Structures are given as structure tokens and as C-alpha cells.
Amino acid sequence: MKSDYIATIGLEVHVQLKTKSKMFCGCAIEYGAEPNTHVCPTCLGLPGALPVMNLEALRMTALTGLIFQCDVAPICKFDRKNYYYPDMPKNYQISQYDLPICQNGEVPLHDLAYPKDAQKSIKNADKRVRLIRIHLEEDVAKNFHFETTSGIDFNRAGTPLMEIVSQPDIESPEEAFAYLTSLKQALIYADVSDADMEKGQLRCDCNVSVRPSHQTEYGVKIELKNLNSISGVRRALAFEIDRQISALERGEKLSQETRRWDDDRGETFLMRTKESAHDYRYFPDPDLLPVKTEVFMPAVRARLPELPWFKRERFVREYGISSYDAGVLTDDLELSRYFEAAAKGAKRPKAVANYVLNDLLSALAAAGKSVEECPIEPQHLAELTGLIEDGKINSKQGKEVFAEMFASGEAPEEIVEAKGLKQESDIDAIKLLCQQTIEANPKSVEDYRAGKGAAINFLKGQVMKASKGKANPNLVGETLEKLLSGV
Amino acid sequence: MSATKFDVRYIAELARIKLEPAEIATFESQLGHVLEHVEKLNQLDVSEVEPTAHSFPIYNIFREDQIRPSLEREAALANAPRQAQGLFIVTKVVE
């Protein structure tokens, strides 16, 4: 982005809650089910069907509010948002207008939430993006477009949907990326949504404008749609900001419009201009009674999770690992659980962290497995680091045992036993090998005694080789030194 | 004619209703009268009345998050004028 322009970005994020049943009826929520198999008169919008609120959806929305330090309203209500589109045959969506369940609040942007290539150049460290509101509504049906017709599946209709609206505090595509990453992470930690953008569980609309840096009033706001991944949001915003700046530099006037992002072509296209803006005629839904949140707030407060950014600080404190490592470990809830389960039983949690971050993550990636599918029990990983720590096996043997653990899921002790990998720590055996090596290499012994300290490394290597890698390298080093200086 | 003019054309457009010019005149007058009646409410002193979202002082009618049986797909689609592959088929819509 050119430095003489400022971009202003606000995001509207829709999040499907992971309740078992829909918002206003008892139909099951199931992604990918056969079309129109989870429908009833209420979610089909048939005349006369009456909605009843799903209490769990209200609790989850209030919990989300607490996570982001929103004010949870003492009273909220539902309104009808009127519009005509076949994805909502009753011609209104039940939503919240003037009394949403949550207002205000903020989402913190942490260093590791930024795209990897942008983590070294974060403009505002510890930035917080303020929220305007979080409200609850019902999702609409899914449309499929054919040659001359459209087909509609109502399985999705009525899924509880949270809308999280940010202030226009975001100033770059990278901050938008970090915002969505932080948001998604917290939602998963709170267990209110799986927030998978590919499955449409988290959807995002962006409002973006640019203005010359000397100008105080905002530029013309343009809305972006069809953003299907967090990196897609970043790409779309980068394209759109450049497009708007170029237009302004050519002396063009921008107009308020909605544009569609095409991720394959890497461009935005005009969808509609402001002339066709909607008039939703909101009014309170007479079918639904207002909600006093106080009755369920104690239960909601009890469900507050340890948030990723606090867990990260705790890992640094309790396990003596670096903030970066703790950040990577807490980035993924399951990974943080795995690490903690292993670190709890380990002598040196730092060694466990290293194994998880270096060996385990790459082994999982290579096998295309998730942390939940990890074949190694956390306790076994702790045992492996213990074996190395106690000098029972050396670190090179550790790698071999690890590979075998990953392949078979067996305990490290068993593998060490079966493969005869046990490190040789028998002092007499090592002494014998060292003596033999010294006798066989008079030249190196001479060099060492003449003051070439590095010559001992060659001798050490020879002893290790003679032991087929089983000797305890520390013990070999000590013994050689003793023999060479003492005799 | 009411003091607040009722914009029949705009409302008809929002409601996707096609009206003849004569109908527009009729509804403009009729709905204008309705508005006049409602206008009377503005003359009341409600400064002592607590705002309400609903006419009953009842709150918190909830259901627990439990799955209940859905309709059979054949039943759900039974009244659809057109259907294919388990979907309701409508005139092509594009946003």
C-alpha cells in the first residue's frame, strides 16, 4: 500500500454456532447432509409455524461476548429483517436490531496471529480492534444455481448464526488477517463454533475505503463479498486497496458499491451499486418474547475458557519455554492440550516442547494427520525425553525411537528394549573401548597432548563408531579426557 | 388525506406487489387513514410508561438444545411446484 494513503477496514463476521439443534426449531444441524432432510415447518418458513429460542445458542453468544469483553445486555430481543429472496421463504430473517445481546468489546491482535511473512513488520504491536456489537440471528438456506433455475436446500436454514461487527479500526490486509485468526482461535477455545471457513461456519464481509493521508473524513466505503478463507480476505483487501488508490490517482470518483472477490482471478467485480440498497423495515418479532440474560449468565461465566493469549503466558511461566514456542503451541487448542498432557509428566518440559514443535509437527504434517489423530500418547513423548535426559539413550537414538513410536504407537521403553538401543553407560565397557581407541590412534593422542584440544573429538567419534552409536557420548568424553591426561 | 403521506409505490415495490394507478390512489387514501389513527398515539403522554418490546410482560421462553425429528423429505417437498435432486426448484436467482 502506498504510504500517502490510509485504508480503513471494518469486518462483519458471521459464525455458525455448534449447537446440536437449530435456533428456533429442533431440526438437527449437520454439515453435508442430503438436501432437505433436516427441515420442518418452522425452518421452511411455512405459515403458522412458531419459533422457540434455543437457550444454548443464547448462552454461546453471551459467552462469546464475555471472551471479547463486550457488555452483555440485561435485556435483548429479536426483530424481523424483511427481504425477498428464496433462501428465506417467510420473507424475513429473525435477527436482532436495536437490542443485540452484546455491545462494545474488543479483539486483541497477537504477533503470531499475523501472516507468517508479516510477523517481523507488525505496525501496531498489541493492537486491539474494537467491536460494535455481536447479535444472534438465523442462517438462511443454501442456493445452488443451474443453467436456468436455482435449487434450494433448507438444511442450513435456521442454524444459529452470530454476527460480529467490528469498528473500522483495521488499517491493513495483514491486520484483517490477524483479526480473523484471533477471532477464530478464541471461538474454538470457547467451543462455540468450529469456525471452519471452508465449511461456511465462519463467513466474512469486508467494508473498505481509502483516503489520502492528509484527509480527515473517510473515503467512499466499498463492500467485499465472497471471501472464503482468511488468506483470501488478505488478498482481496490488498487488491481492493490498490484498485481504489489507483482509481483516485487517475482522478476517478469512487461510488458506494458491493464488489465480489474472485479468488482464482485475483480481482474484485462490481455486484451492485448503492441505488439498489435494501430497506429491511425491521420491527420486533411478535412471535418471540424478550430475553432477560441474567438468568443464564452465571452458567455462562462458569464456562469462560482459558484464552489462548493467557494460556501462552502461563506456558512460559510454568514450563520455562520461550514466548514464541508457547505461541505456536497455544495457536491450536488440541496441540496446546497435547503439549500440556506430555509436559506435566516430564522432567524437562522444554525438551518436550522441542520434540512437539520440531519432530511431532513435521511428522504429523508428513502423515497428513491432525493432532487428535496423533499416534503417540502424550505420556510416551514425556517418557522419550526422560530416557534421553537420563542418558539411557542418546539424542540420535531418540530420533530413531521417535520415528518408531510414530509408526507403531508403542511406548519408548519397549522400542528401546526391542531394538537393543540402550545406550552403553557401563563404565568398564566404555573404558575398554576408549583404551583400544587410544592405542589404535597414536597420532591423534600425540596431537592432543601437544595442545590440539580438538583432536579429542576425532577419538570420541572413533569410540562412538566402535560402540555402534550406543555409548553415552558424555561418558566417552569424560573417560577419554581422564585417560589421556592421567596416563 | 393524512398529514403523513403514505408512499404506496415504494411500499408496493418493497412488498413486490404490482399496482394499477387507480389502486395506488385508493390505497394511498385508505392507508393514509390508518396512519392517521396511529398518529393519535403520538398525542398521548407516555413519559411515565416503560418502553416494551412486547405487549405481554413475559420473558425467557426457551427450549433446551435437543434434536427433534424433522419432516420426511417427501413430505417437505410435497407442495413444491418444482423439485429435483431433493431440492426446491425456483426461477433462477442471482445476487
Side-chain angles (χ1 to χ4, degrees):
Chain A
M1 182 176 32
K2 289 201 168 186
S3 59
D4 41 357
Y5 284 87
I6 300 171
T8 305
I9 303 162
L11 299 186
E12 281 172 27
V13 176
H14 285 91
V15 178
Q16 282 185 347
L17 295 174
K18 55 189 287 193
T19 51
K20 295 196 276 290
S21 66
K22 292 187 181 181
M23 183 64 219
F24 297 113
C25 63
C27 289
I29 296 169
E30 186 194 348
Y31 178 81
E34 282 295 302
N36 293 307
T37 50
H38 297 315
V39 296
C40 75
T42 301
C43 56
L44 284 170
L46 300 186
L50 288 172
V52 188
M53 287 173 239
N54 183 337
L55 176 56
E56 179 59 10
L58 289 160
R59 289 194 201 111
M60 285 178 165
T61 310
L63 179 59
T64 307
L66 290 185
I67 285 173
F68 299 122
Q69 295 173 44
C70 302
D71 303 318
V72 178
I75 292 181
C76 71
K77 69 171 171 74
F78 286 90
D79 301 278
R80 292 184 178 181
K81 177 183 181 179
N82 298 280
Y83 72 95
Y84 276 77
Y85 203 69
D87 62 10
M88 186 54 86
K90 62 184 186 294
N91 293 335
Y92 60 85
Q93 178 189 28
I94 304 175
S95 181
Q96 296 191 296
Y97 185 55
D98 56 338
L99 293 176
I101 182 160
C102 305
Q103 282 182 291
N104 305 317
E106 57 187 30
V107 176
L109 309 187
H110 294 281
D111 50 357
L112 294 177
Y114 284 82
K116 272 218 164 59
D117 58 290
Q119 286 174 4
K120 291 232 156 64
S121 53
I122 295 169
K123 212 174 128 210
N124 301 302
D126 298 317
K127 176 167 179 155
R128 286 156 188 276
V129 173
R130 291 167 303 152
L131 296 180
I132 296 175
R133 60 190 275 158
I134 303 177
H135 71 249
L136 188 52
E137 58 191 28
E138 55 180 340
D139 206 346
V140 298
K142 203 166 161 46
N143 304 308
F144 296 89
H145 300 297
F146 306 119
E147 191 82 13
T148 54
T149 59
S150 295
I152 305 167
D153 170 14
F154 285 89
N155 284 346
R156 190 180 73 178
T159 301
L161 198 65
M162 255 187 331
E163 183 171 325
I164 304 174
V165 187
S166 84
Q167 292 278 6
D169 283 354
I170 299 166
E171 290 166 301
S172 68
E174 288 68 37
E175 283 184 7
F177 183 102
Y179 171 81
L180 288 168
T181 306
S182 284
L183 196 71
K184 178 177 168 168
Q185 208 179 55
L187 295 169
I188 291 171
Y189 263 68
D191 204 25
V192 298
S193 177
D194 292 329
D196 186 341
M197 277 187 96
E198 271 179 35
K199 291 183 180 168
Q201 291 162 340
L202 190 151
R203 311 198 282 271
C204 172
D205 296 336
C206 297
N207 287 304
V208 53
S209 69
V210 299
R211 65 185 146 118
S213 46
H214 58 79
Q215 187 181 313
T216 47
E217 70 268 29
Y218 289 139
V220 177
K221 185 168 84 177
I222 288 172
E223 187 178 2
L224 298 183
K225 292 214 176 250
N226 195 40
L227 304 162
N228 299 320
S229 67
I230 295 181
S231 50
V233 169
R234 182 190 183 194
R235 286 192 291 275
L237 282 169
F239 172 86
E240 185 58 21
I241 289 166
D242 279 348
R243 188 192 70 83
Q244 291 182 19
I245 291 172
S246 305
L248 290 180
E249 299 226 302
R250 284 195 302 269
E252 284 172 32
K253 228 176 135 268
L254 294 166
S255 60
Q256 200 172 331
E257 62 193 29
T258 301
R259 300 180 68 86
R260 181 186 173 82
W261 169 246
D262 185 327
D263 206 31
D264 294 328
R265 298 173 69 169
E267 288 178 64
T268 61
F269 296 94
L270 178 66
M271 268 172 86
R272 57 172 179 255
T273 53
K274 202 196 172 232
E275 285 82 76
S276 52
H278 289 116
D279 178 351
Y280 294 121
R281 301 267 155 160
Y282 283 95
F283 66 89
D285 192 325
D287 291 341
L288 293 160
L289 292 157
V291 175
K292 282 188 176 169
T293 53
E294 62 185 8
V295 296
F296 55 78
M297 286 315 286
V300 170
R301 280 188 204 98
R303 276 165 63 173
L304 258 178
E306 180 183 36
L307 290 166
W309 35 96
F310 294 124
K311 195 175 222 175
R312 180 179 179 181
E313 287 171 14
R314 184 171 62 78
F315 276 11
V316 171
R317 216 168 47 237
E318 285 183 14
Y319 300 114
I321 58 178
S322 71
S323 174
Y324 180 84
D325 286 355
V328 178
L329 289 168
T330 52
D331 194 41
D332 180 288
L333 178 61
E334 287 306 324
L335 187 67
S336 73
R337 287 183 175 150
Y338 185 94
F339 165 73
E340 190 147 39
K344 275 218 154 86
K347 278 195 182 144
R348 214 164 64 91
K350 176 92 179 70
V352 174
N354 287 340
Y355 248 99
V356 170
L357 293 171
N358 300 322
D359 304 73
L360 189 68
L361 283 183
S362 50
L364 286 171
K369 283 185 155 80
S370 69
V371 178
E372 286 125 302
E373 296 162 338
C374 179
I376 300 178
E377 295 288 322
Q379 186 51 39
H380 287 168
L381 196 66
E383 285 164 22
L384 174 65
T385 59
L387 289 174
I388 300 167
E389 208 63 27
D390 295 342
K392 297 228 170 78
I393 55 173
N394 60 42
S395 56
K396 195 163 160 262
Q397 291 172 321
K399 303 277 173 196
E400 204 182 326
V401 176
F402 175 85
E404 187 58 32
M405 286 165 73
F406 196 85
S408 68
E410 275 175 47
E413 301 259 18
E414 288 166 32
I415 295 167
V416 166
E417 203 69 43
K419 292 199 149 197
L421 283 174
K422 248 196 183 123
Q423 180 166 273
E424 188 58 79
S425 293
D426 178 42
I427 189 72
D428 291 331
I430 287 179
K431 208 170 168 183
L432 186 66
L433 282 175
C434 287
Q435 275 165 342
Q436 289 167 348
T437 307
I438 285 171
E439 277 163 28
N441 297 281
K443 175 89 176 61
S444 299
V445 174
E446 215 174 284
D447 287 349
Y448 179 77
R449 289 192 173 135
K452 273 170 97 179
I456 201 167
N457 291 334
F458 172 76
L459 292 169
K460 203 171 150 181
Q462 292 302 306
V463 176
M464 291 304 291
K465 210 169 146 188
S467 78
K468 298 196 178 76
K470 283 190 205 170
N472 179 332
N474 291 334
L475 221 50
V476 171
E478 279 170 30
T479 313
L480 277 174
E481 261 175 56
K482 258 190 226 158
L483 288 172
L484 289 170
S485 55
V487 180
Chain B
M1 201 54 227
S2 150
T4 11
K5 191 166 185 289
F6 200 98
D7 190 345
V8 176
R9 283 169 210 275
Y10 180 54
I11 297 299
E13 194 194 313
L14 283 180
R16 307 292 191 271
I17 299 169
K18 199 179 170 200
L19 295 177
E20 300 299 327
E23 291 174 310
I24 291 174
T26 310
F27 290 137
E28 198 163 63
S29 153
Q30 289 179 347
L31 292 169
H33 285 306
V34 174
L35 271 196
E36 255 174 69
H37 288 300
V38 178
E39 278 293 311
K40 282 188 182 163
L41 289 175
N42 281 340
Q43 294 160 15
L44 287 173
D45 177 14
V46 291
S47 57
E48 299 291 308
V49 181
E50 197 190 335
T52 50
H54 210 275
S55 48
F56 296 107
I58 303 172
Y59 296 88
N60 297 2
I61 306 299
F62 304 132
R63 42 175 275 275
E64 283 301 330
D65 183 25
Q66 272 152 13
I67 296 171
R68 291 176 50 169
S70 296
L71 291 174
E72 291 294 321
R73 183 154 78 180
E74 293 66 39
L77 290 164
N79 292 327
R82 277 189 291 172
Q83 52 164 293
Q85 299 157 43
L87 298 166
F88 290 86
I89 299 298
V90 298
T91 308
K92 183 156 183 162
V93 284
V94 276
E95 207 190 347

